[in-house]
Each structure stands twice: as structure tokens, then as C-alpha cells.
Amino acid sequence: MPSHSLFEQVSHGSLGNKIFDILRDRILNEEYDNGQKLNELSLANELKISRTPIREALKQLELEGLVESIPNKGVYVKGFSPRDIDDMFEIRLALEGLAIQLAIDRMDEVHLAKIKDVFELMEFYTTKKEQEKINDLNILYHETIYQATQSQYFEQLLKDVHYYVSVTSRHSITQPERLETALKEHRAILEAIVANDKELAKETIQKHIRKTQVLVRNYYAHKKLK
């Protein structure tokens, strides 16, 4: 086993979680093909760690439905189907419509200032057309709205759903014009929040989510034809 690991200072339990995050991102970003076998020994050698945290991470991935363990054969990538991802959007549509209304009811100056700050960064990086930075800020923008609900349970619930949707969406929304339209949608959401208009805020955020859903659907439909 190679001696120099990036994870040398990480505790055993945390290491399994870290490997889980790495493998989950790879699966969701389609770095592995559906049906591809994940070999414990190969992964351990690649990441310069023992096989135990790899095994723990694979068990977590199986609980998430991202891999399938077949007795006497191994662990295979399962991923999410287009229908699974579409279902996530529907769940997010309902939950986020409620979240933004709760956020407006419970919003304080600190949360509002943070949302404005994130949006200003989105404006800046949109002019620079820095796709990856905008993707990260998009996640932060929505998570800041979740935080404004001041509900730990609701925030975590939404972050889990939004994580899967955002990661599976980022590779499919690469059109330069989408950066501009997405910025306009986020501006409309912010304006509705500032106006304290719960119904308008719900409508604008759901339109934004639906637009992203359509783009993702188109991506998977095009991919299927290849």
C-alpha cells in the first residue's frame, strides 16, 4: 500500500465519509458508467488508503441507491435514472416553494444581506462566464434561502435534495445564454424576497426550478439518442 495518502490526518470514521463524498460525486458527474464495477483494491491503491474505509463508503453508497452489491460478484454503479432525477425536481419544486415563503416570514437582516452578497457574486462571475464558480454560487444561493427559514430540519432536508439535483444538473447546463437567463431568474427571486411578496417569491423560484428541469430532461433525451 502506498505510504503517502491525502487522508493521513483524517480519523477512521471521517475517512469513510470523505471517500463516500468522493465516490458519490464521481458517480453523479458520470465519471463512472452505469454498470461499471467498483473494485475495492483498485480504489484503495488509487486513493492510497486501506480497503476498510472503501468498504464503508461503498455500503453508504448502496444505502443511497447509487451502487448495487451483487453477492460473489462485487459492487456495481447504479446511478440515478432520468426518471429518478425528474422526481427529485418535483420534490424540490414543492419543498422550495414552501421554503421561500417560510424564509420571508422569518428573514432577518443578516440572512437577507447574505442572499444579496451571494447574488452580487453571481453577477460578477456571470460577466466573467466562469461556469464552475457560478455553479458553486448557485448552490450557495439556494442554501442561503434554506438557512433563512431558520429551521435546521427543513434546511437539511432541502440541502440533501438540492445537492443531488445540482450535481446532476451542472454538466447539462453549459449553454452560455443560460448563464444570463439564470441570473435574471435569481434576480427576480431576490426582488420578490426584498418586496416581502411570498406568492411572487414562490412563483419565481418554482419557474426557475422548472426551467432547469426542462434543460436537464433535454440533456438526458439527447444523451439517449447518442
Side-chain angles (χ1 to χ4, degrees):
M1 180 69 60
S3 58
H4 301 292
S5 170
L6 294 173
F7 309 107
E8 284 178 346
Q9 304 303 315
V10 181
S11 66
H12 182 73
S14 299
L15 184 55
N17 292 332
K18 182 66 176 177
I19 302 306
F20 166 77
D21 288 339
I22 290 171
L23 296 180
R24 180 177 64 173
D25 284 349
R26 289 181 180 181
I27 291 170
L28 294 177
N29 282 301
E30 300 181 337
E31 293 178 36
Y32 298 132
D33 295 327
N34 281 354
Q36 181 174 338
K37 184 175 182 179
L38 296 181
N39 183 276
E40 282 184 18
L41 181 58
S42 296
L43 288 169
N45 287 333
E46 176 197 348
L47 299 171
K48 301 180 175 63
I49 56 173
S50 72
R51 294 172 67 172
T52 300
I54 298 291
R55 194 173 298 118
E56 292 174 354
L58 292 176
K59 286 180 180 177
Q60 283 184 269
L61 289 168
E62 187 172 17
L63 290 173
E64 293 279 327
L66 292 173
V67 302
E68 181 180 11
S69 178
I70 301 177
N72 303 317
K73 289 189 177 182
V75 177
Y76 296 84
V77 174
K78 187 177 177 183
F80 286 125
S81 69
R83 180 174 178 178
D84 292 331
I85 296 169
D86 212 46
D87 287 346
M88 289 178 202
F89 271 104
E90 294 299 330
I91 293 168
R92 182 185 166 200
L93 195 77
L95 288 177
E96 204 153 336
L98 174 60
I100 199 165
Q101 292 184 311
L102 287 176
I104 288 173
D105 278 338
R106 302 171 182 180
M107 187 82 63
D108 58 30
E109 290 301 320
V110 174
H111 287 108
L112 182 57
K114 186 174 180 181
I115 294 171
K116 289 179 177 179
D117 288 345
V118 175
F119 177 75
E120 287 178 5
L121 286 171
M122 292 177 78
E123 280 189 309
F124 174 77
Y125 285 106
T126 297
T127 62
K128 302 289 185 181
K129 300 191 186 310
E130 293 191 25
Q131 179 78 47
E132 285 304 311
K133 189 67 177 178
I134 295 166
N135 284 335
D136 292 340
L137 287 167
N138 176 62
I139 294 172
L140 181 58
Y141 183 85
H142 287 270
E143 289 186 351
T144 304
I145 293 173
Y146 309 158
Q147 290 166 9
T149 67
Q150 301 191 54
S151 167
Q152 184 176 345
Y153 173 75
F154 205 71
E155 181 185 344
Q156 188 58 53
L157 182 65
L158 276 159
K159 283 175 72 174
D160 288 342
V161 174
H162 189 243
Y163 171 81
Y164 282 110
V165 170
S166 61
V167 174
T168 53
S169 300
R170 69 171 57 188
H171 60 273
S172 63
I173 307 170
T174 56
Q175 307 95 321
E177 64 273 14
R178 179 56 185 156
L179 298 181
E180 295 293 339
T181 58
L183 182 67
K184 290 177 182 177
E185 290 161 19
H186 286 111
R187 181 183 291 110
I189 293 166
L190 177 57
E191 289 172 350
I193 292 172
V194 171
N196 205 38
D197 190 329
K198 293 194 292 184
E199 287 305 315
L200 180 60
K202 177 180 178 181
E203 179 183 342
T204 54
I205 205 165
Q206 288 185 330
K207 281 184 178 179
H208 167 65
I209 294 167
R210 189 67 80 191
K211 180 68 176 292
T212 305
Q213 182 182 28
V214 170
L215 289 169
V216 172
R217 281 176 179 167
N218 292 342
Y219 167 79
Y220 280 103
H222 180 71
K223 183 180 176 183
K224 189 176 181 179
L225 294 174
K226 289 185 176 179

